[in-house]
Amino acid sequence: HLLEEVLGEGRGIRDFRKHIAWYLKGFVIGAQIRHQLGLVSSLEELDALMADSRDYEVIDRFTLPVDVQALSVYPHAHYLGKDMLVLARRPNGKADTLLRIPNWNFNWQDDYDYAEPVSLPAGTRIDVRFSYDNSAANRRNPKQPPERVKWGPKSTDEMAAMWLEVQPTRPEDLSKLARDYAVRSLKMDIDGARTQVAMSPNDPLAHTFLATK
């Protein structure tokens, strides 16, 4: 909206599309978001895209660098959560379902232990897909009529998180697993900071957070 005030709606939206494409470059879900935002031609369309999505997806993945035993899984989302799916895609092509919740409920965020540890070899890719319903049809939506929702700690904000508790099969592999996960976590922090700047370009705190990464 700042670009619209300074440049006018037409040019402001064009500049927004250009800059958002740069900030989202390299994101796991960047291509999907860039495609949707690239079709926006007015503030009305932008607000509609942000506020009335019935099946918005968040996708992430992580490849295990060592053999592990999966012990439990902890999914987390707020009131807009719709469907959760976590798959383990093994190097041999076999895919195991580690978690499936087809009709998410806010009260279901908890730690779920597997009846037996799940052996996952190095090279297994953990695929996570959460979908969200930010429409009036979602009876759990805390905002009626629906409003644009961003990531945040309040229950009226939204999150997408999944923790998979694992134990390396060989104790000596713990340092490699921890190192790979630390690198991935830092990348996620940088991606998140870039998103905050893209969504709030006039917020000095967002720029400071990005600069410290």
Side-chain angles (χ1 to χ4, degrees), residues 27 60 160 181 183-194:
F27 277 41
D60 200 4
Y181 183 74
V183 170
R184 179 184 183 280
S185 296
L186 178 59
K187 183 181 184 301
M188 289 180 63
D189 284 346
I190 294 173
D191 287 348
R194 289 167 63 186

Side-chain angles (χ1 to χ4, degrees), residues 32-130:
Q32 172 194 349
I33 296 177
R34 285 200 306 272
H35 174 72
Q36 291 176 312
L37 292 175
L39 301 178
V40 169
S41 61
S42 68
L43 289 175
E44 183 179 1
E45 291 179 6
L46 177 61
D47 288 340
L49 174 63
M50 298 297 184
D52 193 27
S53 175
R54 294 175 181 268
D55 196 26
Y56 183 85
E57 288 190 346
V58 173
I59 299 171
D60 200 4
R61 57 181 59 93
F62 177 70
T63 300
L64 294 170
V66 299
D67 298 343
V68 303
Q69 300 284 317
L71 306 177
S72 67
V73 61
Y74 190 114
H76 181 80
H78 296 168
Y79 291 107
L80 303 182
K82 179 180 177 181
D83 183 277
M84 295 184 176
L85 178 64
V86 181
L87 297 176
R89 298 189 183 277
R90 300 171 182 269
N92 64 6
K94 180 182 177 183
D96 296 329
T97 300
L98 298 180
L99 176 75
R100 178 68 198 281
I101 302 178
N103 187 20
W104 171 254
N105 187 305
F106 181 80
N107 298 317
W108 294 347
Q109 46 187 317
D110 205 343
D111 190 31
Y112 296 93
D113 296 330
Y114 295 115
E116 298 289 340
V118 182
S119 297
L120 300 173
T124 297
R125 193 182 75 192
I126 308 300
D127 287 353
V128 179
R129 188 194 72 205
F130 287 8

